[in-house]
Amino acid sequence: MIAVPDIKIVLVNTSHPGNIGAAARAMKNMGLSSLVLVQPEEFPSGVAVGRAASALDILEHATVVDSLQEAVADCGLVVGTSARSRSLPWPMLSPEQCAEKIVKEQGQNRAALVFGREDAGLTNEELQLCHFHVQIPSDEKYSSLNLAAAVMVLTYELRKAVLNAEAQQESADDEWDQPRATGEQVEHFYEHLEKVLIRVDFHDPDNPRQLMQRLRRLFGRVRIDVMEMNILRGILSNIEHNLKGKD
Ligand code: SAH
């Protein structure tokens, strides 16, 4: 028996409570339970309860947080959804690849699947907090699905991947030897890195260009592990230490 991964479904700044209820129902249908709401416009809500039907428990246990950073702070695999491609290309997954990756890494990296606002999706900053982006290959002439429908499609893919893995009972011998760094550890690293880059005059905060975004993309692509992150933090600390008194 392969367990359904304990992934977080994160809905950012949802305006229609009906979508929250319908997303909860889709989650329960597909065997998921952790719903995180980032600044929902209306919650708790009777409309959400009505649309959730028998998935009321998911709404009752939903966590409400202030930012996406907070929502993914304990996650080592963060996948953002987008109905269209963005200006800075990012590692992309198909819905099938996304589900397979989450199932394969379960037990090692907690995953979050992040959904955007009904009208505007996720901001570029929010998308840059994600290791991968996933796009449902809908018709280009009208690519944007209803929010809860997108939750349904991606959680169904996850369910299929669990059932497939169960059928194959794959051995997990290709697992990474270290857990990946979590969202919170990675944020501390970026803060430290930026500070040192400014200190050595490589980075000008008044003219940042896309430096930090590009570095985020680089490290996001590598999906650095905890041990590697400690090494980099140690290097940064030694640089700072050695620069002291050299002004
Ligand atoms: N106009 C917005 C679309 C918002 S649709 C935009 O262009 O980004 C609301 C949310 O549903 C999206 O943020 C995303 O989480 C999900 N969604 C809708 N269509 C999708 C698609 N084709 N692939 C992946 N997610 C999609």
Side-chain angles (χ1 to χ4, degrees):
M1 242 327 248
I2 309 247
V4 177
D6 174 31
I7 80 160
K8 286 184 174 180
I9 297 295
V10 183
L11 307 184
V12 178
N13 216 193
T14 311
S15 14
H16 302 296
N19 279 332
I20 298 177
R25 181 175 184 168
M27 286 171 62
K28 187 149 182 167
N29 288 145
M30 297 302 137
L32 299 175
S33 56
S34 301
L35 176 62
V36 183
L37 306 170
V38 180
Q39 295 196 350
E41 284 195 9
E42 195 188 324
F43 190 82
S45 140
V47 177
V49 168
R51 290 289 297 279
S54 292
L56 209 56
D57 52 328
I58 294 191
L59 289 186
E60 281 166 5
H61 292 114
T63 322
V64 178
V65 297
D66 277 334
S67 69
L68 181 54
Q69 277 98 331
E70 207 181 315
V72 301
D74 61 347
C75 295
L77 172 60
V78 182
V79 184
T81 56
S82 179
R84 59 199 159 96
S85 38
R86 306 291 172 137
S87 50
L88 187 63
W90 213 258
M92 290 294 303
L93 297 172
S94 68
E96 293 85 355
Q97 290 168 332
C98 168
E100 275 163 25
K101 189 172 266 308
I102 291 171
V103 170
K104 199 162 156 192
E105 297 192 13
Q106 70 169 312
Q108 201 175 18
N109 298 304
R110 181 146 202 222
L113 203 46
V114 186
F115 295 83
R117 298 154 188 83
E118 289 92 335
D119 53 349
L122 293 166
T123 63
N124 285 333
E125 290 71 30
E126 286 161 349
L127 283 165
Q128 284 164 13
L129 291 173
C130 304
H131 300 112
F132 297 94
H133 296 166
V134 59
Q135 192 172 4
I136 300 165
S138 42
D139 194 305
E140 313 83 72
K141 289 190 224 81
Y142 188 31
S143 63
S144 172
L145 276 76
N146 161 265
L147 170 60
V151 173
M152 179 85 256
V153 170
L154 293 176
T155 56
Y156 174 53
E157 286 298 339
L158 197 64
R159 175 121 192 113
K160 285 201 299 184
V162 169
L163 296 175
N164 278 342
E166 242 173 48
Q168 293 178 8
Q169 282 292 340
E170 282 171 340
S171 69
D173 53 6
D174 55 351
E175 275 180 7
W176 200 245
D177 60 337
Q178 294 286 327
R180 307 287 178 163
T182 64
E184 194 176 16
Q185 291 164 334
V186 170
E187 283 309 312
H188 287 143
F189 166 66
Y190 288 135
E191 277 167 30
H192 197 175
L193 178 62
E194 187 164 18
K195 202 169 95 191
V196 171
L197 292 178
I198 293 171
R199 177 71 182 76
V200 300
D201 292 333
F202 186 81
H203 177 42
D204 177 2
D206 296 329
N207 183 21
R209 304 224 172 90
Q210 285 186 313
L211 177 67
M212 290 315 295
Q213 286 100 310
R214 287 190 181 278
L215 289 173
R216 275 175 182 272
R217 183 171 66 166
L218 167 67
F219 287 107
R221 200 162 71 230
V222 174
R223 297 197 49 224
I224 204 145
D225 69 35
V226 170
M227 184 81 84
E228 293 160 343
M229 182 112 290
N230 286 341
I231 294 171
L232 288 176
R233 292 290 301 268
I235 293 173
L236 291 175
S237 296
N238 272 32
I239 293 174
E240 282 179 314
H241 182 74
N242 278 286
L243 283 172
K244 262 191 203 134
K246 292 201 177 150
D247 291 296

